[in-house]
């Protein structure tokens, strides 16, 4: 039986007194797999995970995905995507300024990620918090007429569009990377495949447009839904400590990284991404 405490009144738990570094904790990991469907977000502090153990834990949640930006798969294990401002031998070891917008991981592919496991290897003493928002709570708090209006709408998710905005100072995507990430269409309201609970499925920058509506109306609606989705009452702010492991459900949450003094402090984060199914 896991010992837990809530992170937010509506979603998220911290699991206490758990050491995931040894294989004999696999039964506890399997309980985390079950709990993430219910709570959407799980924090386990004070971990000392090897890269291989991180991957092994992640595989108990499902098959793992490999990020399209291969230059940031620098640990020797391609399942780990590195987020970092650190440079070694003149090359960045990870992607810096990734995720400084509200999004759910890999929503821009036909079968987006079910969940992610982000492990804090090295964190600044201040800044670099991550915000998480419950899309279940966001949808359920909408007026009934708005729920009805958006229930059957779709939206186009575009990695190329996001990359052009977020990384305009970098080399453009290669033809191979573009071929791996064509625009995709997903529902604006998606159904959780385990619980059946509904949630908003929107986001900043990666969601290019809402379809099926006049352009002006679609743009206004997307902006309004994005503003609503990240309201304070649906949001948990996480202040990282070294050794934190956070597991979240991309099917019903969004998250956003925040800036820090990146010329003063180092930050190294390792993320694994669990494969999911087509939203419906």
């Amino acid at each position: 039986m896991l010992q837990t405490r809530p992170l937010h009144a509506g979603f998220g738990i911290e699991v206490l007194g758990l050491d995931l570094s040894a294989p004999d904790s696999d039964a506890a990991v399997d309980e985390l797999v079950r709990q993430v469907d219910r709570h959407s977000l799980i924090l386990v502090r004070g971990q000392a995970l090897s890269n291989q153990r991180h991957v092994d834990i992640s595989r108990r949640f499902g098959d793992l995905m490999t990020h399209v930006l291969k230059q940031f798969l620098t640990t020797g294990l391609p399942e780990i995507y590195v987020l970092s401002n650190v440079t070694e031998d003149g090359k960045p070891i990870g992607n810096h300024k990734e995720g400084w917008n509200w999004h759910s991981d890999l929503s821009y592919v036909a079968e987006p990620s079910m969940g992610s496991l982000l492990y804090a290897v090295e964190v600044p003493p201040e800044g670099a918090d991550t915000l998480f928002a419950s899309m279940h709570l966001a949808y359920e708090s909408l007026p009934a007429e708005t729920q009805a209006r958006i229930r059957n709408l779709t939206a186009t998710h575009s990695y190329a569009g996001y990359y052009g905005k977020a990384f305009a100072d970098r080399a453009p995507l290669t033809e191979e990377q573009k071929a791996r990430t064509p625009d995709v269409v997903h529902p604006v309201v998606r159904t959780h495949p385990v619980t059946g609970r509904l949630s908003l499925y929107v986001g900043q920058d990666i969601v290019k447009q809402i379809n099926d509506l006049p352009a002006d109306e679609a743009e206004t609606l997307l902006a309004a839904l994005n503003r609503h989705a990240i309201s304070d009452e649906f949001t948990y702010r996480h202040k990282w400590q070294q050794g934190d492991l956070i597991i979240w459900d991309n099917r019903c949450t969004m998250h956003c990284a925040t800036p820090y003094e990146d010329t003063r402090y180092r930050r190294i984060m390792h993320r694994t991404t669990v494969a999911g199914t087509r939203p419906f």
Side-chain angles (χ1 to χ4, degrees), residues 61-262:
F61 288 80
D63 294 335
L64 300 184
M65 305 173 77
T66 302
H67 202 280
V68 67
L69 299 181
K70 296 179 181 179
Q71 66 269 37
F72 302 126
L73 310 180
T74 56
T75 67
L77 295 174
E79 299 89 350
I80 293 177
Y81 178 51
V82 181
L83 307 171
S84 183
N85 65 326
V86 175
T87 298
E88 294 180 355
D89 298 324
K91 293 183 179 181
I93 67 168
N95 197 3
H96 184 32
K97 300 184 180 180
E98 170 73 290
W100 289 10
N101 64 312
W102 283 98
H103 66 286
S104 64
D105 289 337
L106 278 71
S107 73
Y108 51 82
V109 299
E111 295 185 341
S113 164
M114 165 262 155
S116 300
L117 294 87
L118 186 59
Y119 178 58
V121 178
E122 187 172 348
V123 297
E126 57 186 356
D129 300 345
T130 302
L131 304 171
F132 295 89
S134 169
M135 296 299 96
H136 285 323
L137 298 180
Y139 175 76
E140 291 163 358
S141 70
L142 287 169
E145 58 269 25
T146 304
Q147 291 180 351
R149 179 189 179 196
I150 68 174
R151 184 68 179 87
N152 296 309
L153 293 178
T154 64
T156 299
H157 295 234
S158 174
Y159 185 70
Y162 160 70
Y163 188 93
K165 293 177 183 178
F167 306 122
D169 57 337
R170 299 186 186 178
L173 293 172
T174 65
E175 292 305 313
E176 177 194 3
Q177 290 168 332
K178 290 178 183 177
R180 285 187 58 190
T181 55
D183 289 0
V184 296
V185 174
H186 294 311
V188 171
V189 179
R190 69 178 295 181
T191 307
H192 197 286
V194 177
T195 67
R197 198 174 173 190
L198 300 180
S199 64
L200 277 180
Y201 198 48
V202 289
Q204 298 172 341
D205 300 333
I206 284 177
V207 179
K208 183 166 68 174
Q209 63 191 31
I210 290 180
N211 307 314
D212 317 312
L213 295 174
D216 289 349
E217 182 182 350
E219 183 178 355
T220 299
L221 177 60
L222 178 59
L225 292 176
N226 276 326
R227 284 195 303 272
H228 172 76
I230 61 173
S231 300
D232 288 347
E233 59 263 41
F234 316 136
T235 302
Y236 163 71
R237 186 181 193 105
H238 184 66
K239 297 184 180 299
W240 290 94
Q241 299 175 14
Q242 183 174 326
D244 282 356
L245 176 69
I246 288 193
I247 305 157
W248 67 85
D249 190 333
N250 281 306
R251 300 166 297 188
C252 55
T253 64
M254 287 202 298
H255 58 281
C256 178
T258 60
Y260 61 99
E261 293 188 46
D262 54 1

